[in-house]
Amino acid sequence: MKLVEPPSCHKPAAALVLIGRNSCGQWVAQEQNGLYGGLFVSRAEAMKYALFENGHHPETIVELSRTIELATNGRFAPVGLLFGSSRRPIA
């Protein structure tokens, strides 16, 4: 007879959270698919938020060296699409 684990024993994979600085120097934390995210004044606060949101899985947090912008449409947007010539967000 084959033994099968009950479904409750399988944990869903923790979400990958990306953190880094935006073009204004603020810290950004955002889930890779844009499901949640926010702007923070410090790296520590961005990390605290990321850990809370992903179920305390530090191994799934990736700090980026490139500039990232908080996307509100469910995915990361290039800086050029977020800002016009006056450097104000385009709504």
Side-chain angles (χ1 to χ4, degrees), residues 23-42:
S23 59
C24 296
Q26 299 164 313
W27 283 91
V28 175
Q30 185 160 16
E31 191 269 340
Q32 69 177 353
N33 296 317
L35 296 176
Y36 55 81
L39 295 175
F40 304 90
V41 295
S42 70

Side-chain angles (χ1 to χ4, degrees), residues 26-65:
Q26 299 164 313
W27 283 91
V28 175
Q30 185 160 16
E31 191 269 340
Q32 69 177 353
N33 296 317
L35 296 176
Y36 55 81
L39 295 175
F40 304 90
V41 295
S42 70
R43 179 184 180 277
E45 290 300 315
M47 287 292 288
K48 183 177 173 182
Y49 172 80
L51 285 168
F52 174 79
E53 289 293 340
N54 78 357
H56 299 280
H57 293 279
E59 69 279 4
T60 64
I61 298 173
V62 177
E63 188 170 343
L64 302 174
S65 59

Side-chain angles (χ1 to χ4, degrees), residues 3-10:
L3 296 175
V4 179
E5 287 187 50
S8 62
C9 292
H10 298 287

